[in-house]
Amino acid sequence: VESEIRRVCVLFLDIRGFTTFSEKRTPPEVVNHLNQVFDFMIQIINDNGGIVNKFLGDGFMALFGAPLSYQGQDSANAVRAALAIRVALLAANARGDIAETHIGIGIHVGDALVGNVGSASRKEYSIIGDVVNLASRVESLNKQFHSEILITRAVREELPEEFEKIAKPLGPVSVKGREEQVQIFKLA
Amino acid sequence: VESEIRRVCVLFLDIRGFTTFSEKRTPPEVVNHLNQVFDFMIQIINDNGGIVNKFLGDGFMALFGAPLSYQGQDSANAVRAALAIRVALLAANARGDIAETHIGIGIHVGDALVGNVGSASRKEYSIIGDVVNLASRVESLNKQFHSEILITRAVREELPEEFEKIAKPLGPVSVKGREEQVQIFKLA
């Protein structure tokens, strides 16, 4: 893998209330549940041209635009994946296939450094840059807004018209570690 | 790997000011630098009985106590690794072996769920629980305290006497997402 700057759309997904969920179950039950829901979510990420780059306990980070890019489609693909995950989760909850599960998703797009990072004996495809931190912080805003999917203005600007009517502006939001406020949109 | 609750000491390491560092260099220079410093840091983690579980862009998360535990020694091993990394980094900076680099380390210990989590086709050894979030937040407090290595009271209580005199209390600190304040100690 070449070290380079790429435009990458970053999607963070987190399972809500997972600590409370875990308290009432045995460790194998908790891990089986996670694997059950991650399995179809990751499939949806892949089906929409993304990859899960990192598992993060009760969540994951997915990339659209790196290492492969569908030129000009990466942000739209990330949003399509997020919407499809929400629909699939609603259906699984309604059918009682899984213990009731709720999620938060945050999506941001920007330039980032990518490359293989690690030790001499073990390197991983990594993405480094502020776009990652902001995507993670946008995800964490879901709690405050009682929302499930939040995107930044940068993502919205790369979306086709069909998505415009479902992206509701929540106004500028202060985010830790940034002077400028961030324009956030909730996907209805 | 069995899904279980284990006592795990979690160490987060982050390279300070990496965005600024990156702005003045080409992508290959940045990635080469990261690999150069991570290489000796990861060696030190391993030498002290830990493993790097996850690379996080310009940082990593290491575990002591999972999947292997040196019963009763995991917190002390994490602290030894942190101190050794600081010494090795100071030496590398002084010799001019590397572009001058500064780090922040946060360490916390507690019970966490461990297991293999992911999709049907790709699972990773994962640690899930509040201990991870708090270790990460303690790491981020280094900026505010102009410190390099911060540990929680839970870690300090598991350390042998030799470390007591170098752990300076910084008083109780408010941490996002927690009602109770957290007792933090700076390693001198």
Side-chain angles (χ1 to χ4, degrees):
Chain A
V1 174
E2 215 180 326
S3 305
E4 56 181 345
I5 304 285
R6 291 183 74 113
R7 190 156 186 87
V8 186
C9 187
V10 180
L11 180 156
F12 273 87
L13 180 146
D14 187 63
I15 294 183
R16 285 281 157 272
F18 200 72
T19 307
T20 313
F21 175 92
S22 305
E23 278 164 5
K24 300 171 209 149
R25 285 157 178 98
T26 67
E29 282 169 349
V30 174
V31 170
N32 288 343
H33 173 72
L34 267 184
N35 286 332
Q36 203 180 2
V37 296
F38 279 175
D39 196 38
F40 72 76
M41 291 176 181
I42 292 163
Q43 188 59 52
I44 291 171
I45 297 288
N46 296 337
D47 290 348
N48 285 280
I51 58 153
V52 170
N53 178 249
K54 234 164 251 305
F55 295 111
L56 303 163
D58 55 356
F60 58 73
M61 175 175 80
L63 307 179
F64 296 78
L68 286 175
S69 173
Y70 295 81
Q71 294 303 326
Q73 289 298 309
D74 298 315
S75 287
N77 285 341
V79 165
R80 279 187 199 104
L83 294 170
I85 284 172
R86 180 166 62 182
V87 168
L89 190 61
L90 277 172
N93 281 336
R95 283 194 306 266
D97 287 356
I98 56 171
E100 192 168 342
T101 303
H102 299 278
I103 53 166
I105 291 177
I107 309 177
H108 181 45
V109 64
D111 290 342
L113 175 63
V114 299
N116 279 333
V117 175
S119 66
S121 58
R122 170 179 157 222
K123 288 192 167 56
E124 291 181 5
Y125 185 74
S126 294
I127 168 169
I128 301 155
D130 206 37
V131 60
V132 179
N133 305 328
L134 185 52
S136 169
R137 287 193 173 136
V138 168
E139 188 286 307
S140 72
L141 292 172
N142 279 297
K143 207 176 281 184
Q144 169 182 337
F145 287 113
H146 304 287
S147 53
E148 285 177 312
I149 308 174
L150 294 176
I151 66 174
T152 60
R153 174 178 290 278
V155 175
R156 184 172 179 280
E157 282 172 358
E158 296 191 353
L159 296 182
E161 250 179 79
E162 57 182 289
F163 290 120
E164 270 186 29
K165 53 185 171 301
I166 63 160
K168 312 277 183 196
L170 295 179
V173 176
S174 293
V175 175
K176 201 190 151 213
R178 312 201 137 227
E179 285 183 30
E180 277 185 58
Q181 292 195 302
V182 180
Q183 294 279 348
I184 302 287
F185 297 78
K186 170 181 169 171
L187 292 194
Chain B
V1 174
E2 215 179 326
S3 304
E4 56 181 345
I5 303 286
R6 290 183 75 114
R7 190 157 186 88
V8 186
C9 187
V10 180
L11 180 155
F12 273 87
L13 180 146
D14 186 64
I15 295 183
R16 284 279 158 271
F18 200 72
T19 307
T20 314
F21 174 91
S22 304
E23 279 164 5
K24 300 172 208 147
R25 285 156 176 99
T26 67
E29 282 170 349
V30 173
V31 170
N32 287 343
H33 171 73
L34 267 185
N35 286 332
Q36 203 179 3
V37 297
F38 280 174
D39 197 37
F40 72 76
M41 290 176 181
I42 292 164
Q43 189 59 53
I44 291 170
I45 297 287
N46 295 339
D47 290 348
N48 285 279
I51 59 153
V52 171
N53 177 250
K54 234 164 252 305
F55 296 112
L56 304 164
D58 56 355
F60 59 74
M61 174 176 79
L63 306 180
F64 296 78
L68 287 176
S69 174
Y70 295 81
Q71 294 302 326
Q73 290 298 309
D74 299 315
S75 287
N77 284 342
V79 165
R80 279 187 198 105
L83 294 170
I85 285 173
R86 180 165 64 182
V87 167
L89 189 61
L90 277 171
N93 281 336
R95 283 193 306 265
D97 287 355
I98 57 171
E100 192 167 342
T101 303
H102 299 278
I103 54 167
I105 291 177
I107 310 176
H108 181 45
V109 64
D111 290 341
L113 174 63
V114 299
N116 279 332
V117 175
S119 66
S121 59
R122 172 178 155 221
K123 288 193 168 56
E124 291 180 6
Y125 186 75
S126 294
I127 167 171
I128 301 155
D130 206 39
V131 59
V132 178
N133 305 327
L134 185 51
S136 169
R137 287 193 174 137
V138 167
E139 189 286 307
S140 71
L141 293 171
N142 279 296
K143 206 175 281 185
Q144 166 183 342
F145 287 113
H146 304 286
S147 53
E148 285 177 312
I149 308 174
L150 294 176
I151 66 173
T152 59
R153 174 179 290 278
V155 174
R156 184 172 179 279
E157 282 173 357
E158 296 191 355
L159 296 180
E161 248 180 81
E162 58 181 288
F163 289 120
E164 270 186 28
K165 54 184 171 301
I166 63 159
K168 312 279 182 195
L170 295 179
V173 176
S174 294
V175 175
K176 202 191 149 215
R178 313 203 136 226
E179 285 182 29
E180 277 184 59
Q181 293 195 302
V182 179
Q183 295 279 349
I184 303 287
F185 297 79
K186 170 181 169 170
L187 291 195

